Amino acid sequence: MKGKITIAIDGFSSCGKSTLAKALARALNYKYIDSGAMYRAVTLYALDKGIIKDGHFDHDFLVHALPDITIDFHFNPKNQKSETLLNGVNVEDKIRLGEISSLVSPISAVKEVRTKLVELQRSYDEHKGLVMDGRDIGTNVFPKAELKIFMTADPEVRAMRRFEELTAKGYHTTMVDVRTNLAERDHIDSTRVDNPLTRAEDAIILDNTDLSPEEQLEFALDLAKSRMNL
Ligand code: DC
């Protein structure tokens, strides 16, 4: 047996990355880190501090403020969920709001933001036994991860899943808005200069358009076990 491994899950927005990553971490008793939550937390900070105004952000102001931002995760035993802390405050719900989703991609394209967050992301892998999802985990954060999965799904299926998730949480939105936001984020995330969303050459593609969460977990668990030589 090889022991614990690092698992990188990348892919487009609303492809079910976090659902699979959480299930995989639970099944393997691994740590789960949502790297997108970190970019969302920086975006929330920028919004609260007036660094983002009328949909535009002040680049220099943002870079100057970065040392004042701390991001952490804690496990809430009451709801059995990992929650994101921004400067010690639980912002898990706030960072999922549509306003943050529509502002996060330009913020995550800022080189200095990425440098800070990638360093933090790498610090979670000290003892392996980690599942992390994002856009550049297999290509940049952990290029030596033992297992890399690149998730994709039909754009219309992704939009419908996202729409249903938001409406189930009580947020008012439309399919048109959801489609537009996903298309914009896909474009910015995959065309930015620093560490754009691309599939690592050694990543296994998982198209989950027609797969249930259970089928995806089985697929990923089989791969993980084979990489652990189990
Ligand atoms: O996974 P998510 O939708 O919560 O991610 C929010 C944004 O953060 C996404 O639009 C792109 C950015 N992101 C990134 O650039 N690199 C990552 N590793 C994770 C997310």
Side-chain angles (χ1 to χ4, degrees):
M1 186 178 131
K2 198 173 166 186
K4 291 187 172 183
I5 62 170
T6 303
I7 302 176
I9 301 187
D10 289 302
F12 295 99
S13 301
S14 297
C15 264
K17 296 185 299 293
S18 67
T19 305
L20 176 62
K22 278 181 209 160
L24 200 50
R26 208 175 304 124
L28 295 169
N29 199 19
Y30 276 20
K31 201 164 25 180
Y32 162 63
I33 296 289
D34 172 358
S35 69
M38 299 180 180
Y39 292 95
R40 287 173 179 269
V42 171
T43 305
L44 177 64
Y45 182 91
L47 198 59
D48 286 350
K49 296 288 176 192
I51 297 171
I52 303 177
K53 267 192 206 139
D54 306 323
H56 299 284
F57 71 96
D58 181 328
H59 177 276
D60 293 348
F61 191 1
L62 174 64
V63 171
H64 189 73
L66 285 176
D68 299 332
I69 304 177
T70 61
I71 297 167
D72 224 325
F73 295 96
H74 81 145
F75 185 74
N76 182 341
K78 283 191 192 146
N79 59 15
Q80 296 283 302
K81 284 187 179 158
S82 164
E83 294 172 338
T84 311
L85 303 181
L86 169 61
N87 291 339
V89 177
N90 178 3
V91 292
E92 188 55 35
D93 288 339
K94 274 192 176 175
I95 60 170
R96 308 292 164 191
L97 294 175
E99 190 179 15
I100 300 295
S101 299
S102 61
L103 295 168
V104 63
S105 282
I107 296 290
S108 65
V110 174
K111 191 185 180 69
E112 291 83 352
V113 171
R114 302 204 71 79
T115 303
K116 177 182 172 97
L117 297 189
V118 167
E119 191 185 329
L120 183 58
Q121 287 152 15
R122 288 186 178 142
S123 72
Y124 286 105
D125 194 41
E126 211 183 352
H127 307 292
K128 295 211 163 264
L130 173 71
V131 184
M132 189 178 288
D133 71 335
R135 304 293 186 291
D136 62 339
I137 310 305
T139 50
N140 175 49
V141 181
F142 300 126
K144 292 188 175 155
E146 288 84 355
L147 174 58
K148 300 178 187 176
I149 297 177
F150 188 86
M151 290 180 71
T152 178
D154 178 86
E156 196 54 25
V157 170
R158 290 164 52 206
M160 181 53 84
R161 285 179 189 156
R162 181 81 184 135
F163 176 77
E164 285 172 354
E165 184 189 321
L166 289 171
T167 45
K169 283 185 184 162
Y171 300 126
H172 178 73
T173 187
T174 63
M175 273 297 280
V176 174
D177 283 351
V178 171
R179 266 192 216 109
T180 308
N181 177 250
L182 286 185
E184 277 173 10
R185 285 166 65 197
D186 284 356
H187 178 71
I188 300 175
D189 295 347
S190 46
T191 57
R192 66 173 176 237
V193 176
D194 290 300
N195 311 126
L197 166 66
T198 46
R199 181 176 77 86
E201 268 178 26
D202 51 350
I204 310 281
I205 295 178
L206 171 55
D207 181 337
N208 67 8
T209 305
D210 298 313
L211 294 180
S212 68
E214 293 75 22
E215 288 168 326
Q216 295 169 55
L217 177 60
E218 194 185 327
F219 176 84
L221 261 182
D222 282 349
L223 286 171
K225 285 177 182 163
S226 74
R227 301 296 157 95
M228 288 184 241
N229 294 333
L230 285 182

